[in-house]
Amino acid sequence: MGFEGQIWRLERDRQLLGEILIDDADFPWLRGRFAPEPAFVEVEPWFVELLALVETEEHERFDEVYDRIARALTLVSPSGPVAEFLLHVEGDQAWFRWSDEPFEDFEDVAEIRP
């Protein structure tokens, strides 16, 4: 199944925060152009903090910060919400991996770039 051209949505309590137009699929990572909605400004600092932690390799804090994202936000594929995801947003770019089942070992998915 090709992912290119699909639109995935980022939501918070069913409010649209932004859409990701997939332009590259390198399993298990998908990458695309992120089009934020005005409400995204409320959670954008979370993603900025997350990227900063990855750059400094503060993995203990990474889990804490990412848990806030995972608990509060929903990633919605064209066929519906996914069970678990690891999403990075930087400017107008987003990259993520996802699963219909919870991740077994979060350390396996805590890398920053596909």
Side-chain angles (χ1 to χ4, degrees), residues 15-97:
Q15 177 184 25
L16 181 63
L17 299 178
E19 293 183 331
I20 304 165
L21 173 60
I22 306 301
D23 58 24
D24 184 35
D26 185 14
F27 185 79
W29 290 95
L30 298 181
R31 176 181 273 290
R33 180 165 301 281
F34 182 69
E37 292 292 321
F40 181 71
V41 299
E42 297 173 15
V43 300
E44 185 175 19
W46 299 353
F47 290 96
V48 170
E49 181 180 11
L50 188 69
L51 287 172
L53 289 171
V54 171
E55 295 297 325
T56 61
E57 298 185 12
E58 291 185 52
H59 299 291
E60 292 174 12
R61 290 261 306 125
F62 178 93
D63 291 342
E64 177 185 320
V65 171
Y66 197 80
D67 283 347
R68 175 177 45 186
I69 292 170
R71 283 191 315 271
L73 307 182
T74 303
L75 185 63
V76 183
S77 77
S79 59
V82 300
E84 192 139 10
F85 62 95
L86 176 62
L87 171 67
H88 297 285
V89 176
E90 183 174 36
D92 68 349
Q93 294 295 304
W95 58 100
F96 63 94
R97 51 192 301 180

